[in-house]
Amino acid sequence: MKIELRHGAGGADTAGLIDSIFARHFHNAVLDKMEDGAVLPRPAGELVLTTDSFVVQPLEFSGGNIGRLAVCGTVNDLSCMGAVPKYLTAGFILEEGLETDTLERMVASMAATAKEAGVSIVAGDTKVIEGNGGMYINTAGAGIRPQGRCVSAANLCPGDQLILSGTLGEHHAVILSSRMGLQTSLKSDCAPLNAMTEALFSAGVSVHTMRDITRGGLATVACELAKASGCALAIEESALPVSEGVHALCGILGLDPLTMGNEGKLLIAVPQADTAHALATVKAVPYGENAAVIGTVCAGSGVTLQTAIGGRRVLSPLRGEGLPRIC
Amino acid sequence: MKNEQMAAYLTHYRGRPLRLMEVCGTHTSVLYRSGLRGMLPAQVAMLSGPGCPVCVTPTAYIDRLTELSLTPGVCVLSFGDMLAVPGSKLSLAGARARGGRVGFFYAPEQALKIAAKEPKTCFVLAAVGFETTAPVWAVLAETILQQGIQNVRLLTALKTMPLAMDALCETGDIDGFLCPGHVAVVSGSESFRPLADKWKKPMVVGGFTPELLLRALCRLLREAGERHSGVWNEYPAYVRRDGNSKAKAVVARVFETGPACWRGLGVLAGSGLYLRGKYAALDAGSGALYDDRAPEGCCCGKVLTGALTPQQCPLFGKACLPEHPVGACMVSSEGSCRITYLERGDSL
Ligand code: SF4
Ligand code: SF4
């Protein structure tokens, strides 16, 4: 069956869609009440809220899909704030012509990812617009930050070590090669990282800051951190984990792993004394096995890369789309 | 030599001052990314040449594309990099905002799929590139004819490198060239021999990893420092003396040479490739697009010929920024102005 405008009209067709797909996959005590809003217990600690919209093309790609991405993106934003993600809302904008089977796969994947991350999807909305069978998802998330956790870019101080939780560029590489019709064995790294951030806190690591590396890649995130903290970041190119597949694609297309996006990688800054412990902790949790210490925070400003060949390069945030070269 | 030894050779070069040109935009970009540019001693200047197809495309070509995109029933498809290049009035992105139909592709073959979905629309593909891309466009043109595809046309801006390098030798004081490896994969390292013989300069074909580039640079410094002339292939894993005969053959079947206008160099006879014979029916008006009027104050022409460095352009970093480029060299990811601007590491 294909989605039609009637499915978004708010009447029986909408209710049917909710029953047959959304309620069935997302069900939990709060959502099952089917009220106009979710009533949630008042948390101890600070409430952290975030929202993000997902418009990825293609909807399904190797290693993930828009549904998994929509959960991971919001879960990871909350986790990077030091919050324990708890609740998500999901808003769907569906284009006419979307296959309900596709929608159901995306929704099922959201449900599975939410389960993996230990969050509940407690409210939702669906609209249908004219179009060509596409779909977009907005997720908002609420998390609770226990007392005493203070993670902020402003906390970076000279001497801090930078840990990257895994290899660079997979998500970007997968999306790009699928748009270009290239066959690769790459998989998107799209994953919820709250287990990783919680492991760090439970291990007693004094996390100064954490960022998930999404659009714009490591270079962009590092420049943002440098600016926000008034410190300089020095990164070692030879320490950067890059998979062979991404490396090869970059060679062919003239791309730079440093400005390619991930959807399941963190840049973590910890005090020097905690570095070894933090690295071991990250390596021991899922999605962290390729973690590495990639650089240091110093006094000064800007981000520099010590290149593998012995040169020095000043990193800038990505500008424009980062398209592959013409030949 | 090991990498460390080569790096030491580079940094400790104390021979005669050299002005060397990297022709290819990818080399410009790797020079920056790898930090090699910063390792060069003060007396070695690396100039960026006309090696980015986006940068050398003249204004008239962009104008023709925008005009087509605003024609009812026509949709222009291009590499994404072209969208922001300013024409005399509009860029393609500007034309799109005014109702023009413009799409982009990552690889030319994708364009045929897009066109197949809308048989009533005429799709004009912006076929830009050098020796490297020409075979891809040639195969595409053959496919269009073989499959009888009716709604696809090409607006070509295909150029060949040696004649531009010849023009540069005539005007500029360049002591040696880092020759484009991609081009040489197709045309062969020997394609640079006539230039080396005529101008008595070293021509070194280089690859694109930092290691390969370092190796090519060391070779270029040594040979240029000693005033040697000749061709050196430092990308032997991919480049053969005579190139790729299949690719050359398909290009010869589909294209013939003709005059082409290069931003900064003007019209160079024989440096363009145009659809020939039965393929000419696919052409969307590619001939005589010679107008190369640059926007007020734009120095792209001088930058592309090594006469000015990007920083010497009065608009650089002021009126001309990656967010709102005045000239083409600030648009393309291989444009030397854009690369130089980003190299300064300005944060957000
Ligand atoms: S078109 Fe190819 S050979 Fe020319 S600059 Fe770009 S990558 Fe290099
Ligand atoms: S700074 Fe802008 S206007 Fe000046 S040469 Fe570069 S691209 Fe052209």
Side-chain angles (χ1 to χ4, degrees):
Chain A
M1 192 175 74
K2 285 191 198 295
I3 295 290
E4 296 171 29
L5 285 175
R6 63 186 169 93
H7 289 116
D13 296 315
T14 308
L17 192 68
I18 292 176
D19 282 348
S20 63
I21 298 186
F22 297 114
R24 197 150 64 79
H25 288 281
F26 289 162
H27 89 97
N28 57 59
V30 184
L31 188 71
D32 292 351
K33 295 208 175 84
M34 287 290 165
E35 308 269 13
D36 277 348
V39 180
L40 307 169
R42 184 199 301 248
E46 291 164 308
L47 193 59
V48 180
L49 271 183
T50 188
T51 182
D52 205 347
S53 300
F54 299 83
V55 299
V56 67
Q57 280 283 0
L59 296 177
E60 296 175 271
F61 44 83
S62 157
N65 56 52
I66 190 171
R68 179 165 170 84
L69 205 59
V71 172
C72 294
T74 295
V75 162
N76 293 348
D77 283 347
L78 292 171
S79 310
C80 284
M81 293 303 299
V84 180
K86 287 282 190 193
Y87 306 108
L88 298 188
T89 68
F92 294 84
I93 296 181
L94 312 178
E95 287 183 358
E96 266 181 307
L98 177 71
E99 292 290 346
T100 46
D101 285 353
T102 310
L103 176 62
E104 179 153 12
R105 277 200 304 281
M106 300 306 105
V107 168
S109 168
M110 281 179 89
T113 311
K115 190 168 174 210
E116 177 186 353
V119 296
S120 313
I121 296 172
V122 292
D125 176 56
T126 311
K127 295 283 182 301
V128 179
I129 58 171
E130 287 175 29
N132 278 316
M135 73 181 276
Y136 312 95
I137 306 177
N138 171 277
T139 52
I144 290 149
R145 181 152 85 172
Q147 232 76 68
R149 285 189 189 176
C150 176
V151 216
S152 152
N155 293 349
L156 281 192
C157 34
D160 282 1
Q161 300 292 299
L162 299 167
I163 295 173
L164 177 64
S165 71
T167 47
L168 289 175
E170 275 85 359
H171 182 70
H172 193 127
V174 164
I175 297 298
L176 200 63
S177 34
S178 105
R179 286 192 201 160
M180 298 183 70
L182 297 176
Q183 299 288 339
T184 67
S185 56
L186 290 164
K187 277 196 160 50
S188 164
D189 56 344
C190 154
L193 299 174
N194 51 331
M196 186 181 289
T197 56
E198 281 312 303
L200 284 165
F201 291 113
S202 329
V205 173
S206 152
V207 177
H208 280 176
T209 199
M210 303 187 277
R211 280 288 170 91
D212 58 334
I213 298 170
T214 52
R215 279 181 304 178
L218 177 65
T220 306
V221 170
C223 288
E224 285 168 2
L225 288 184
K227 200 164 187 188
S229 64
C231 293
L233 270 57
I235 297 176
E236 276 299 325
E237 187 175 47
S238 49
L240 293 175
V242 178
S243 72
E244 238 167 73
V246 169
H247 187 77
L249 195 76
C250 287
I252 299 169
L253 300 178
L255 295 167
D256 184 355
L258 281 156
T259 49
M260 290 168 71
N262 285 87
E263 287 293 343
K265 297 292 152 56
L266 293 179
L267 180 64
I268 308 158
V270 299
Q272 170 112 51
D274 284 5
T275 312
H277 187 38
L279 182 65
T281 306
V282 172
K283 276 176 160 302
V285 295
Y287 312 117
E289 61 277 10
N290 296 317
V293 177
I294 59 151
T296 316
V297 179
C298 335
S301 63
V303 182
T304 52
L305 181 78
Q306 189 66 41
T307 65
I309 207 133
R312 195 171 153 276
R313 163 182 170 195
V314 179
L315 294 185
S316 300
L318 174 72
R319 289 178 195 246
E321 247 237 80
L323 292 163
R325 68 160 168 260
I326 288 181
C327 83
Chain B
M1 267 198 289
K2 288 220 183 70
N3 284 348
E4 299 77 49
Q5 288 169 302
M6 288 195 289
Y9 176 81
L10 201 70
T11 37
H12 294 117
Y13 171 87
R14 293 293 177 268
R16 68 177 185 118
L18 295 174
R19 284 168 54 85
L20 307 172
M21 180 174 272
E22 86 273 5
V23 178
C24 167
T26 309
H27 278 149
T28 310
S29 132
V30 179
L31 272 171
Y32 153 54
R33 281 190 202 165
S34 61
L36 279 169
R37 187 179 284 281
M39 290 160 68
L40 290 167
Q43 72 266 48
V44 177
M46 287 303 299
L47 312 166
S48 305
C52 165
V54 175
C55 299
V56 295
T57 300
T59 312
Y61 182 79
I62 304 292
D63 288 348
R64 176 87 184 119
L65 282 179
T66 55
E67 177 193 318
L68 285 164
S69 77
L70 290 161
T71 309
V74 176
C75 176
V76 167
L77 297 178
S78 137
F79 286 109
D81 264 19
M82 290 290 285
L83 263 57
V85 180
S88 62
K89 289 194 203 70
L90 287 178
S91 64
L92 279 174
R96 183 159 70 176
R98 282 166 184 74
R101 278 204 68 192
V102 180
F104 70 89
F105 49 76
Y106 293 97
E109 311 84 68
Q110 274 183 313
L112 295 188
K113 289 198 194 130
I114 300 175
K117 289 195 193 136
E118 260 184 77
K120 293 221 173 69
T121 303
C122 175
F123 287 86
V124 176
L125 316 189
V128 300
F130 293 114
E131 284 90 333
T132 337
T133 329
V136 179
W137 290 114
V139 169
L140 198 86
E142 290 193 327
T143 313
I144 294 172
L145 284 202
Q146 272 159 19
Q147 300 186 355
I149 297 170
Q150 295 296 329
N151 64 333
V152 176
R153 298 281 175 278
L154 304 184
L155 191 72
T156 63
L158 294 166
K159 297 177 164 66
T160 52
M161 205 51 99
L163 284 161
M165 290 167 69
D166 185 66
L168 284 165
C169 289
E170 199 139 354
T171 52
D173 47 343
I174 295 166
D175 300 305
F177 286 91
L178 182 61
C179 298
H182 297 122
V183 167
V185 169
V186 175
S187 55
S189 55
E190 283 305 300
S191 62
F192 299 105
R193 178 76 60 191
L195 281 171
D197 291 348
K198 176 170 171 193
W199 298 100
K200 303 278 172 280
K201 290 185 200 303
M203 305 276 162
V204 177
V205 177
F208 299 94
T209 64
E211 296 74 24
L212 287 170
L213 191 55
L214 174 59
R215 140 172 255 119
L217 274 179
C218 286
R219 167 68 69 189
L220 187 55
L221 248 61
R222 171 166 310 153
E223 308 305 341
E226 311 259 312
R227 299 179 199 273
H228 291 161
S229 85
V231 175
W232 285 268
N233 178 4
E234 296 291 358
Y235 194 28
Y238 291 94
V239 173
R240 278 170 283 160
R241 283 173 60 87
D242 300 313
N244 180 329
S245 53
K246 264 201 189 147
K248 288 203 276 191
V250 64
V251 169
R253 273 203 303 278
V254 175
F255 296 114
E256 61 194 4
T257 56
C261 178
W262 297 63
R263 190 167 297 211
L265 292 169
V267 178
L268 301 178
S271 70
L273 293 174
Y274 296 90
L275 292 160
R276 75 188 307 161
K278 59 179 177 180
Y279 301 99
L282 297 174
D283 190 278
S286 314
L289 297 174
Y290 296 156
D291 183 1
D292 188 21
R293 248 174 316 160
E296 270 287 300
C298 165
C299 301
C300 286
K302 293 196 170 122
V303 167
L304 287 165
T305 50
L308 285 186
T309 64
Q311 291 99 323
Q312 288 168 329
C313 169
L315 305 187
F316 178 83
K318 301 193 180 83
C320 186
L321 291 163
E323 291 75 14
H324 41 89
V326 175
C329 303
M330 193 59 94
V331 174
S332 157
S333 53
E334 299 191 335
S336 52
C337 293
R338 186 187 178 91
I339 292 172
T340 309
Y341 185 82
L342 295 181
E343 189 171 3
R344 308 188 320 176
D346 291 36
S347 354
L348 292 173

